[in-house]
Amino acid sequence: MTDKTTEDLAEGIARSRGTDYLHMRELITDDEAALLLKVREFGERELLPIVNDYWERGEFPFEILPGLRELEIVGDTMQGYGTTPMTAVGQGLVSYELGRIDGSIGTFIGVHVGLAMQSIYILGSEEQRQRWLPAMARLEKIGAFALTEPNHGSDSVALEATATRDGDHWVINGAKRWPGNAVWCDIIIVFARDTADGKVKGFVVEKDDPGYRATKIGGKVSLRMVQNADIVLDDLRIPDDRRLVNCNGFPDVSKVLMGTRNQVAWASTGHAVAAYEIALNYAQKRVQFGKPIANTQVVQSKLVEMLGEVTAMQLYCIRLGRLLDEGAVTDTMAALAKYFCSVKARHVCRLARDVLGGNGITLEFHVMRHLCDMEALVTYEGTAEIQSLLVGREITGGGAFV
């Protein structure tokens, strides 16, 4: 392949648009469609040209924050506090379009909005919402979420970090691992076990609190722009008014996680759509043995399989979003959608990488970045295996966690 041909293919991929084979557009409102288009245009204009460089360097592109503020995409079904009103489908479409561009940026928004802000919105008092959410809605203060620990990932319900009441303060000790944004965030939601009653409680920790230390996790080959951290909480002392008053056990934490599984399902679908678009565009232009590889049976078979998976994921996500808007979603519905979409999206990315042959491993064509990032999405917010066990327990009546 000549350099010119490579440039033409890469340019065509950058211009490609989302796939809507079963007319998904007819299932969303005009406001939701406008939100999708707004994020898509910003992503293709401002994000796509820079993401490969930042991904390769493992650095976060802080230069994008002013543009993200202007988009006003901080909403996620929250009402008031400076957030943008949107449905669960609307928030899903934001995750979908950011996933189409880059998993790290989508994860940044997902952690900030879906985990940190929603923790305060769902589990905090009215005073606590007023104190933190408006600045977070303007992306003036960035949030993170610390639940997972070095020894407790899938069994985070067994977390070991402790919180001990001392007068009108709490003293928190322990360690957390993997929180995105945690290296440079302004506030982080920390969950710890109350030594008095054994229940999991939530706390708002600020980055300059003595006893809080975050160290960047290096060596990642997935979501490389996300600044994940190992966190040490060493006699971290915070006032009682920073305890989230409506978090009184792990089931309360699960209320936050249910919504984020919707976002992960949508983001996974965005990654898959991007991979399919890239593969189709490439196959139509890549000539081997005298004809485009798209005109071969083996490649067409892969493309049709990819399209089928993408279309199923889109329909999954819209239905889940509508159920969320109706207040009719259960934990296992969200778990099934997260399981299906993340596993299928990874498979679609792998097929796309196959279609591109040797070019598939380069950042220039983006597929390998999407594939690497999907490895994280399959794992975070509950691994595919854990989602499967949750649904399995619900449909059979018997737990199989051990």
Side-chain angles (χ1 to χ4, degrees), residues 293-327:
I293 62 172
N295 295 350
T296 64
Q297 290 182 359
V298 67
V299 171
Q300 286 192 7
S301 177
K302 291 181 188 294
L303 292 171
V304 172
E305 182 179 357
M306 294 163 68
L307 177 61
E309 302 288 22
V310 162
T311 302
M313 283 185 272
Q314 291 171 333
L315 296 173
Y316 246 97
C317 287
I318 286 190
R319 181 58 181 152
L320 181 67
R322 294 295 176 227
L323 288 170
L324 274 166
D325 288 329
E326 296 165 11

Short mmCIF file of all heavy atoms in Angstrom, two decimals, residues 293-327:
data_model
loop_
_atom_site.label_atom_id
_atom_site.label_comp_id
_atom_site.label_asym_id
_atom_site.label_seq_id
_atom_site.Cartn_x
_atom_site.Cartn_y
_atom_site.Cartn_z
N ILE A 293 -11.21 -5.86 -1.31
CA ILE A 293 -11.41 -7.03 -0.46
C ILE A 293 -12.86 -7.13 0.02
O ILE A 293 -13.30 -8.21 0.45
CB ILE A 293 -10.44 -7.04 0.74
CG1 ILE A 293 -10.66 -5.83 1.66
CG2 ILE A 293 -9.00 -7.11 0.27
CD1 ILE A 293 -9.86 -5.91 2.95
N ALA A 294 -13.62 -6.03 -0.07
CA ALA A 294 -15.04 -6.08 0.27
C ALA A 294 -15.80 -7.01 -0.66
O ALA A 294 -16.91 -7.46 -0.33
CB ALA A 294 -15.65 -4.69 0.23
N ASN A 295 -15.25 -7.28 -1.84
CA ASN A 295 -15.91 -8.15 -2.81
C ASN A 295 -15.47 -9.61 -2.67
O ASN A 295 -15.51 -10.37 -3.64
CB ASN A 295 -15.63 -7.67 -4.23
CG ASN A 295 -16.26 -6.31 -4.50
OD1 ASN A 295 -17.04 -5.81 -3.70
ND2 ASN A 295 -15.92 -5.70 -5.63
N THR A 296 -15.05 -9.99 -1.48
CA THR A 296 -14.71 -11.38 -1.21
C THR A 296 -15.68 -11.93 -0.17
O THR A 296 -16.17 -11.20 0.69
CB THR A 296 -13.27 -11.52 -0.69
OG1 THR A 296 -13.16 -10.84 0.57
CG2 THR A 296 -12.28 -10.91 -1.67
N GLN A 297 -15.94 -13.22 -0.25
CA GLN A 297 -16.92 -13.81 0.65
C GLN A 297 -16.50 -13.72 2.11
O GLN A 297 -17.31 -13.41 2.99
CB GLN A 297 -17.14 -15.29 0.27
CG GLN A 297 -17.87 -15.48 -1.04
CD GLN A 297 -18.10 -16.95 -1.35
OE1 GLN A 297 -17.69 -17.82 -0.59
NE2 GLN A 297 -18.75 -17.22 -2.47
N VAL A 298 -15.23 -13.98 2.38
CA VAL A 298 -14.80 -14.02 3.77
C VAL A 298 -14.94 -12.66 4.44
O VAL A 298 -15.37 -12.55 5.60
CB VAL A 298 -13.36 -14.56 3.88
CG1 VAL A 298 -12.35 -13.60 3.27
CG2 VAL A 298 -13.01 -14.84 5.35
N VAL A 299 -14.62 -11.58 3.71
CA VAL A 299 -14.73 -10.24 4.29
C VAL A 299 -16.20 -9.84 4.42
O VAL A 299 -16.61 -9.27 5.45
CB VAL A 299 -13.93 -9.22 3.47
CG1 VAL A 299 -14.22 -7.80 3.94
CG2 VAL A 299 -12.44 -9.51 3.58
N GLN A 300 -17.00 -10.11 3.43
CA GLN A 300 -18.43 -9.78 3.53
C GLN A 300 -19.07 -10.51 4.70
O GLN A 300 -19.92 -9.95 5.41
CB GLN A 300 -19.16 -10.11 2.23
CG GLN A 300 -18.86 -9.14 1.10
CD GLN A 300 -19.79 -9.30 -0.08
OE1 GLN A 300 -20.76 -10.05 -0.04
NE2 GLN A 300 -19.50 -8.58 -1.16
N SER A 301 -18.68 -11.75 4.93
CA SER A 301 -19.23 -12.50 6.05
C SER A 301 -18.90 -11.82 7.37
O SER A 301 -19.74 -11.69 8.26
CB SER A 301 -18.67 -13.93 6.04
OG SER A 301 -19.13 -14.65 7.17
N LYS A 302 -17.66 -11.34 7.51
CA LYS A 302 -17.27 -10.64 8.73
C LYS A 302 -18.05 -9.35 8.90
O LYS A 302 -18.52 -9.00 9.99
CB LYS A 302 -15.77 -10.34 8.72
CG LYS A 302 -14.85 -11.56 8.83
CD LYS A 302 -13.39 -11.14 8.82
CE LYS A 302 -12.45 -12.32 8.75
NZ LYS A 302 -12.51 -13.16 9.95
N LEU A 303 -18.21 -8.60 7.80
CA LEU A 303 -18.91 -7.33 7.87
C LEU A 303 -20.38 -7.51 8.25
O LEU A 303 -20.93 -6.74 9.05
CB LEU A 303 -18.81 -6.59 6.53
CG LEU A 303 -17.42 -6.09 6.14
CD1 LEU A 303 -17.41 -5.58 4.71
CD2 LEU A 303 -16.95 -4.99 7.10
N VAL A 304 -21.02 -8.53 7.70
CA VAL A 304 -22.42 -8.77 8.03
C VAL A 304 -22.55 -9.20 9.49
O VAL A 304 -23.48 -8.78 10.20
CB VAL A 304 -23.03 -9.84 7.09
CG1 VAL A 304 -24.43 -10.24 7.56
CG2 VAL A 304 -23.09 -9.30 5.67
N GLU A 305 -21.63 -10.02 9.96
CA GLU A 305 -21.66 -10.41 11.38
C GLU A 305 -21.50 -9.18 12.27
O GLU A 305 -22.22 -9.02 13.27
CB GLU A 305 -20.55 -11.42 11.67
CG GLU A 305 -20.55 -11.90 13.11
CD GLU A 305 -19.46 -12.92 13.39
OE1 GLU A 305 -18.73 -13.31 12.46
OE2 GLU A 305 -19.33 -13.33 14.57
N MET A 306 -20.59 -8.31 11.91
CA MET A 306 -20.38 -7.10 12.68
C MET A 306 -21.62 -6.22 12.69
O MET A 306 -22.04 -5.70 13.74
CB MET A 306 -19.18 -6.32 12.12
CG MET A 306 -17.85 -7.04 12.28
SD MET A 306 -16.56 -6.36 11.21
CE MET A 306 -16.34 -4.75 11.94
N LEU A 307 -22.24 -6.05 11.53
CA LEU A 307 -23.44 -5.23 11.43
C LEU A 307 -24.56 -5.80 12.28
O LEU A 307 -25.29 -5.06 12.96
CB LEU A 307 -23.88 -5.11 9.97
CG LEU A 307 -25.18 -4.33 9.73
CD1 LEU A 307 -25.05 -2.89 10.22
CD2 LEU A 307 -25.56 -4.38 8.25
N GLY A 308 -24.72 -7.12 12.25
CA GLY A 308 -25.76 -7.73 13.07
C GLY A 308 -25.55 -7.48 14.55
O GLY A 308 -26.50 -7.17 15.29
N GLU A 309 -24.32 -7.61 15.00
CA GLU A 309 -24.02 -7.38 16.43
C GLU A 309 -24.25 -5.91 16.80
O GLU A 309 -24.83 -5.60 17.85
CB GLU A 309 -22.58 -7.78 16.74
CG GLU A 309 -22.21 -9.22 16.42
CD GLU A 309 -22.84 -10.23 17.37
OE1 GLU A 309 -23.86 -9.92 18.00
OE2 GLU A 309 -22.29 -11.34 17.46
N VAL A 310 -23.79 -5.00 15.95
CA VAL A 310 -23.96 -3.57 16.21
C VAL A 310 -25.43 -3.21 16.31
O VAL A 310 -25.87 -2.48 17.21
CB VAL A 310 -23.26 -2.75 15.11
CG1 VAL A 310 -23.77 -1.32 15.10
CG2 VAL A 310 -21.76 -2.78 15.30
N THR A 311 -26.22 -3.72 15.39
CA THR A 311 -27.64 -3.39 15.38
C THR A 311 -28.34 -3.93 16.62
O THR A 311 -29.17 -3.24 17.23
CB THR A 311 -28.29 -3.96 14.11
OG1 THR A 311 -27.63 -3.43 12.96
CG2 THR A 311 -29.77 -3.57 14.03
N ALA A 312 -28.00 -5.13 17.03
CA ALA A 312 -28.58 -5.69 18.25
C ALA A 312 -28.20 -4.85 19.47
O ALA A 312 -29.04 -4.59 20.35
CB ALA A 312 -28.12 -7.13 18.43
N MET A 313 -26.97 -4.40 19.53
CA MET A 313 -26.52 -3.57 20.65
C MET A 313 -27.29 -2.26 20.70
O MET A 313 -27.68 -1.78 21.77
CB MET A 313 -25.02 -3.32 20.55
CG MET A 313 -24.16 -4.47 20.95
SD MET A 313 -22.40 -4.03 20.94
CE MET A 313 -21.99 -4.41 19.25
N GLN A 314 -27.49 -1.64 19.54
CA GLN A 314 -28.23 -0.38 19.51
C GLN A 314 -29.64 -0.55 20.08
O GLN A 314 -30.12 0.27 20.87
CB GLN A 314 -28.30 0.14 18.07
CG GLN A 314 -26.97 0.62 17.52
CD GLN A 314 -27.04 0.92 16.04
OE1 GLN A 314 -27.86 0.36 15.30
NE2 GLN A 314 -26.17 1.80 15.57
N LEU A 315 -30.30 -1.62 19.68
CA LEU A 315 -31.67 -1.85 20.15
C LEU A 315 -31.69 -2.19 21.64
O LEU A 315 -32.58 -1.76 22.38
CB LEU A 315 -32.31 -2.96 19.32
CG LEU A 315 -32.48 -2.60 17.84
CD1 LEU A 315 -32.98 -3.80 17.04
CD2 LEU A 315 -33.45 -1.42 17.66
N TYR A 316 -30.73 -2.96 22.10
CA TYR A 316 -30.57 -3.23 23.53
C TYR A 316 -30.53 -1.91 24.31
O TYR A 316 -31.22 -1.73 25.31
CB TYR A 316 -29.26 -3.97 23.76
CG TYR A 316 -29.36 -5.39 24.26
CD1 TYR A 316 -29.28 -6.46 23.38
CD2 TYR A 316 -29.49 -5.67 25.62
CE1 TYR A 316 -29.33 -7.77 23.83
CE2 TYR A 316 -29.54 -6.98 26.07
CZ TYR A 316 -29.46 -8.02 25.18
OH TYR A 316 -29.51 -9.31 25.63
N CYS A 317 -29.66 -1.02 23.84
CA CYS A 317 -29.41 0.22 24.58
C CYS A 317 -30.64 1.12 24.62
O CYS A 317 -30.95 1.70 25.66
CB CYS A 317 -28.22 0.95 23.96
SG CYS A 317 -26.63 0.18 24.29
N ILE A 318 -31.32 1.25 23.50
CA ILE A 318 -32.50 2.12 23.48
C ILE A 318 -33.57 1.57 24.41
O ILE A 318 -34.19 2.32 25.17
CB ILE A 318 -33.02 2.28 22.05
CG1 ILE A 318 -32.10 3.20 21.26
CG2 ILE A 318 -34.44 2.84 22.06
CD1 ILE A 318 -32.61 3.63 19.93
N ARG A 319 -33.78 0.27 24.38
CA ARG A 319 -34.80 -0.29 25.27
C ARG A 319 -34.41 -0.11 26.73
O ARG A 319 -35.25 0.26 27.57
CB ARG A 319 -34.99 -1.79 24.95
CG ARG A 319 -36.05 -2.46 25.82
CD ARG A 319 -37.40 -1.78 25.66
NE ARG A 319 -38.42 -2.40 26.50
CZ ARG A 319 -39.47 -1.75 26.97
NH1 ARG A 319 -39.66 -0.46 26.70
NH2 ARG A 319 -40.37 -2.38 27.72
N LEU A 320 -33.15 -0.36 27.08
CA LEU A 320 -32.72 -0.17 28.45
C LEU A 320 -32.89 1.28 28.89
O LEU A 320 -33.34 1.56 30.00
CB LEU A 320 -31.25 -0.60 28.63
CG LEU A 320 -30.69 -0.47 30.05
CD1 LEU A 320 -31.38 -1.46 30.99
CD2 LEU A 320 -29.19 -0.69 30.07
N GLY A 321 -32.52 2.22 28.00
CA GLY A 321 -32.67 3.63 28.33
C GLY A 321 -34.11 4.02 28.59
O GLY A 321 -34.40 4.76 29.54
N ARG A 322 -35.01 3.52 27.77
CA ARG A 322 -36.43 3.84 27.98
C ARG A 322 -36.93 3.26 29.31
O ARG A 322 -37.71 3.89 30.02
CB ARG A 322 -37.26 3.31 26.82
CG ARG A 322 -36.99 3.98 25.49
CD ARG A 322 -37.38 5.46 25.50
NE ARG A 322 -37.03 6.10 24.24
CZ ARG A 322 -36.40 7.25 24.14
NH1 ARG A 322 -36.05 7.91 25.24
NH2 ARG A 322 -36.11 7.78 22.97
N LEU A 323 -36.51 2.06 29.62
CA LEU A 323 -36.90 1.47 30.90
C LEU A 323 -36.35 2.27 32.07
O LEU A 323 -37.02 2.44 33.10
CB LEU A 323 -36.42 0.02 30.97
CG LEU A 323 -37.18 -0.98 30.08
CD1 LEU A 323 -36.46 -2.32 30.05
CD2 LEU A 323 -38.62 -1.14 30.54
N LEU A 324 -35.13 2.79 31.93
CA LEU A 324 -34.58 3.65 32.97
C LEU A 324 -35.42 4.91 33.14
O LEU A 324 -35.73 5.34 34.26
CB LEU A 324 -33.13 4.03 32.63
CG LEU A 324 -32.05 3.06 33.08
CD1 LEU A 324 -30.73 3.38 32.39
CD2 LEU A 324 -31.88 3.11 34.60
N ASP A 325 -35.82 5.50 32.02
CA ASP A 325 -36.65 6.71 32.09
C ASP A 325 -37.99 6.44 32.75
O ASP A 325 -38.58 7.30 33.39
CB ASP A 325 -36.87 7.28 30.68
CG ASP A 325 -35.61 7.93 30.11
OD1 ASP A 325 -34.81 8.46 30.90
OD2 ASP A 325 -35.44 7.90 28.88
N GLU A 326 -38.48 5.21 32.59
CA GLU A 326 -39.77 4.84 33.18
C GLU A 326 -39.63 4.35 34.62
O GLU A 326 -40.64 4.05 35.26
CB GLU A 326 -40.41 3.73 32.33
CG GLU A 326 -40.76 4.18 30.91
CD GLU A 326 -41.05 2.99 29.99
OE1 GLU A 326 -41.18 1.86 30.51
OE2 GLU A 326 -41.16 3.21 28.77
N GLY A 327 -38.39 4.25 35.11
CA GLY A 327 -38.17 3.74 36.44
C GLY A 327 -38.44 2.26 36.56
O GLY A 327 -38.76 1.75 37.64
#
